[in-house]
Structure formats: C-alpha cells, structure tokens
Amino acid sequence: MSTLKGFSAPIMTGVVLFGLWEGVLALFNPQGFVLPAPSEIAGALIDNWDDVFQGARITGYVVVSGLLAGIVLGVLAALLVTRFRTANETITPLAVAINAIPIIALAPIFNNWFGLTSARSNQAIVVALVFFPIFINTTRGLTLVDRSQVELMESYAASRSRISREVRIPNAMPFFFTALKLSTSLAVIAAIVAEYFGGRQDALGPLITQSAGLTRYDDAWAAVLAGTTIGVVLYIAVTVLERVVMPWHSLIRSHREET
Amino acid sequence: MNVIDIRGATKVFNPGKGNQVEALAEIDLVVEPGEFVTLIGPSGCGKSTLLRLIAALIAPTTGLVEVNAKPAEQARLDRDYGMAFQTAGLFDWRTVSKNIELPLELMGWTKGDRRRRAKEMLELVKLGEFATHHPSELSGGMQQRVAIARALSFSPALLLMDEPFGALDEMTREHMQDELLRIWKETETTVVFVTHSIPEAVYLSTRVVVMSPRPGKIASVIEVDLGERQALVRDDPAFHTKVTEVRVALRKVEE
Ligand SMILES: Nc1ncnc2c1ncn2[C@@H]1O[C@H](COP(=O)(O)OP(=O)(O)O)[C@@H](O)[C@H]1O
Ligand SMILES: [Mg+2]
C-alpha cells in the first residue's frame, strides 16, 4: 500500500514531463534530430525491439552481476575491516585513496586487461565502482554504533559474533541501503559508458554510439530509455527490499516526518 | 559474603598519553546483600566509571574488584548482574517486547517463557499495550521504562543503574522509584544506583556514597534508615534531615 503510494508521485511526474516534452516539440517544432519526441522514440523502440531488448539483456546482465559482486565484496571487506583492527588500519586508507580514482576512466585499460570483446571488463568496472560506496558506508554503519548498546550486550556476556549480529549488522543496514541505492544508478552509468570503449558489440552502449553515429537519434534514445528502465527497476527493487528487510526504519522515518 | 568488594581500585584513562585522565583514585567499597547503595557527586567525579568497573565493562588500572566473591570479569561472564544506562539503549530493530526478551534469548530461555516474562515486565512498567510497538514510537520516558523492564527481566541478584530516571518527568520518576523499591524488597536484590538527585538518593537508599572529583574519590558515606518507605516518607521530617545531611556533604565536595 504505502509502497504503491510512494511510487505514484514519481510516475505522475514522469507522465507530466513526457506530456510537456511531446507538447513543446509539437508546438515549436525545432529540427527533429536535436531531440526526438517521445512518440518517435516509442516508434523506434517498437521497430528495433529485438536489438534494444538484446542490448538491455546484455547490459542488464553486466549491471546486475557487477552490482552483486560489488555488494558481496564490499560487505565482506567491511566485515573484515571491522573484525580486525590491523585490516582496518591498512585497507581503509587504501580504499579511500583508490576511491578518488575516477574508475570510469579506467575503462580502456580494463579492456586491455580483460579482453576487448568480452563483457568481463565492463563487469569489472561496475564491480570497482559499486565496491567503494558499499564498503565505506557499511564499515561506517558497523562501527558507528551506540556505545551503551554494545556495553549492554557485553553485560550479558554476549560473544563478539552475537554483538555483530544483534547490534552492528542491524545498525549498518540503513547505511548499506543508502549506498546501494546510489550504486544502482552508478552501475547503469558505468556499464553503458564502459561499453562505449569495448565489450560485447550487441550491448546498449555500442547500440547508442552506432545509432548516434548514423544520426539515428530516435534509435539512440530508445536504447537510452532501455538503460533508464534497468536503473529504475533496480532502484524500485532495492526500495522494496529495504522495506522488507528493515520495516522498523520506515517507521522511524514516518515518525520523524510527523514531528 | 559480600556482593561487591572493591579494594584500592583506581582507573586512569589513556595512561601516558596527553589526554590522560585520572578518573578514580583508591576506591574502597563493600556492598552487602540486600543493600541499596546510591552513588552521588558532581558530574565527572567517576560515578559511571565506578559502575563500569563493577560491571567489568572496563578493568581497573590497579586494585581489586570482586562481585559475588569472584573477579568482576567472571561475574560478568556468569551474568550475575543486570544493568540500565542513562540512555535507554533500546534496539530500534526489535519490538518493545523483543527488547525485553533480548537478555532472556542470550540466556537460552524458551520462546514461551520469554513471551510470558516480557508481558509481566511490561505490565510492571505500565506499558502492557505497547508490546508490539517499536521503540521509536515511544516517548523518552516510556523508552526508559522499557530499558528498566529489560534490566529486571531475568531477576538478577544485583542491579547496576546509571541515572536511569534522569530523563523522566517528576511524576513518572516518583512512580518508578516506588516500583523499584517494591521490586527491590520483593526480590531481595542488591542495587547500586547512580543519581545526581539528592532526594532520590535519600528516598531510595540504605546508604548514600558521596563522591568528590579530580580524581574521583569517596568523600563520605551516609547511612539512611527511614524504615518502611512509602510515598509518605517524602514528607517526613527525618527524610528532610537526611536530604540536608547529604546536601551539606555534597557542598563540601564541590568547594
Ligand atoms: N572512556 C573514557 N575515556 C577517557 N576518559 C573517560 C572515559 N570515561 C570517562 N572518562 C573521564 O573520567 C572522568 C569520570 O567520568 P564519569 O565516570 O563518566 O563521571 P560521572 O559519571 O560521575 O559524571 C571524567 O573526567 C571523564 O571525562
Ligand atoms: Mg555518568
């Protein structure tokens, strides 16, 4: 119920925006190739359905697999770092330093490492990009815990792993999901931009560059729309997952909004 | 057998560093079974630190801390005490009932027993209808009552409480004081209680320990014997005499 309500506003906004877009183009009729109308993009999408769908599948696979691998690695590194002090002192500064590298700029180099025509290098870009926000945020959530909660667990003679399970991990959840939401859109951008430089030729990235190169802008926009859809679907999935995993958190939020 | 036996305990935080703090110097304190001992003193005089030493949440720099005639650390591992802090320290991700059940879970109680006990404890702190709520839906005072219910849930023979009523309004506070006294009498627990309210210390305790700061020391110990406590005691002249006595002792400490 509340989930549906949460999504109805952005959907309405989208409908109004597309209506305006279509209307303004119909009224002022600038040169068609600058920005195709939504109806033209929809037409291109139907005409090229097979290519766009195939591209979305390939890119979607890169995004989802890269996202999953990045999450697993980021969370594992965060758990390791909070468990072992020396790991924290060595890995964390390193991670922060590496995080300053514009990962997407590494795309051509990764192509060289992982092969120009395989999706591996694109996946690697997504993994690297997702890893850092997940790692840094989750670490913060695991360590920024209420001291009296930890002392309370210690007063019950709870083991370290029990304290992790009862206090640190639930405390890290909101941090993790914030990073994850950020990561979904980053992952789509990273995958498509990485595909501009190499990887499978039937992915969305090459579809966009090739269509644009042939001045078939409505086809390019249809591919962009497919990429947007991947991002939106993932974002919604994460939001739903967040509410299932942390029902208490939306409660806190709604309570705070009221006051 | 003494419940608490502290001999020559000191605590220095960050020894040898620039931010070194001598929090406690040479503390000697013995608490016998069934006593209700209150620690009072200006803020920063080491009351919380002393309570943490007893709870073995921190180790003394020098000296000895024993609980139930064994090292405090062993008593902690044996779960000999229950603790309540100034901040409720509830877990947002657990319902009110599940918060109270937490220590029982760690002690291996069955689900049915846990439910039953949590319900009893919630009745006790007059929050019966909030069992399935989350802490964020409760006011600060209600949260604090849940934390107290949690500390009492497994009927520990020793209760350590660090300004547990500090966040409560006056009415709730007096009500909780009476409840605590009732529980203390019924269950024959021993209580060590930190407060900065003089009337609260006098009303609750059998003994008031006045502490002085920099470094934290026990300045004086005042025995209180007001007999059977009821709400009436608060208006008793003997009560006011004791309040004055503690106030004078505290004033000396603060000079
Ligand atoms: N973990 C700690 N690290 C460093 N200093 C501390 C720590 N805990 C307490 N202190 C210091 O020890 C002194 C006593 O603190 P505390 O026991 O909290 O006082 P009280 O509870 O009486 O207000 C204070 O000066 C405080 O700053
Ligand atoms: Mg204190």
Side-chain angles (χ1 to χ4, degrees), chain B residues 167-184:
Chain B
L168 304 183
D169 61 83
E170 197 58 29
M171 289 296 289
T172 317
R173 192 176 176 125
E174 290 191 356
H175 170 70
M176 290 303 298
Q177 289 169 357
D178 286 330
E179 284 302 324
L180 181 59
L181 281 178
R182 188 178 62 72
I183 293 159
W184 168 65

Side-chain angles (χ1 to χ4, degrees), chain A:
Chain A
M1 257 303 282
S2 64
T3 312
L4 273 181
K5 241 193 322 194
F7 291 133
S8 65
I11 288 172
M12 283 297 292
T13 313
V15 168
V16 170
L17 216 65
F18 277 120
L20 272 177
W21 178 353
E22 186 85 41
V24 167
L25 285 178
L27 274 177
F28 299 104
N29 193 26
Q31 288 161 298
F33 62 83
V34 174
L35 182 63
S39 57
E40 289 175 84
I41 296 170
L45 186 64
I46 292 165
D47 292 343
N48 295 319
W49 179 254
D50 287 344
D51 286 347
V52 174
F53 187 71
Q54 171 68 2
R57 257 187 27 161
I58 302 299
T59 302
Y61 171 73
V62 167
V63 170
V64 172
S65 60
L67 206 54
L68 287 177
I71 291 167
V72 169
L73 291 175
V75 169
L76 281 181
L79 287 171
L80 188 80
V81 150
T82 39
R83 180 68 183 78
F84 301 104
R85 210 196 166 113
T86 44
N88 189 10
E89 280 159 7
T90 49
I91 295 179
T92 309
L94 195 70
V96 171
I98 294 176
N99 194 29
I101 300 174
I103 305 265
I104 197 70
L106 297 177
I109 298 168
F110 274 34
N111 280 329
N112 183 13
W113 288 356
F114 295 98
L116 186 61
T117 55
S118 98
R120 280 272 172 275
S121 69
N122 301 340
Q123 277 173 310
I125 291 286
V126 175
V127 173
L129 211 91
V130 168
F131 174 82
F132 292 102
I134 296 280
F135 167 65
I136 290 167
N137 268 279
T138 307
T139 303
R140 192 171 295 151
L142 289 169
T143 42
L144 276 183
V145 292
D146 184 345
R147 179 170 159 210
S148 66
Q149 289 181 346
V150 173
E151 289 199 330
L152 193 81
M153 293 300 285
E154 286 171 347
S155 83
Y156 302 142
S159 64
R160 274 187 85 129
S161 65
R162 194 70 194 255
I163 295 177
S164 281
R165 219 164 56 228
E166 300 286 354
V167 182
R168 295 189 188 281
I169 292 173
N171 190 68
M173 283 295 180
F175 293 81
F176 168 77
F177 274 104
T178 303
L180 188 54
K181 283 189 200 162
L182 194 86
S183 297
T184 54
S185 51
L186 275 181
V188 177
I189 297 169
I192 292 179
V193 174
E195 284 166 357
Y196 290 169
F197 298 97
R200 286 186 57 154
Q201 287 309 293
D202 49 355
L204 286 181
L207 195 59
I208 295 168
T209 47
Q210 284 157 18
S211 303
L214 299 168
T215 68
R216 284 167 28 195
Y217 288 107
D218 44 355
D219 292 355
W221 275 99
V224 170
L225 181 64
T228 309
T229 308
I230 296 173
V232 170
V233 167
L234 283 173
Y235 189 88
I236 292 173
V238 170
T239 310
V240 170
L241 188 69
E242 183 184 28
R243 289 184 196 193
V244 172
V245 175
M246 309 191 295
W248 75 85
H249 197 244
S250 57
L251 208 74
I252 295 173
R253 244 181 336 212
S254 64
H255 203 69
R256 287 201 182 134
E257 275 161 16
E258 278 164 25
T259 52

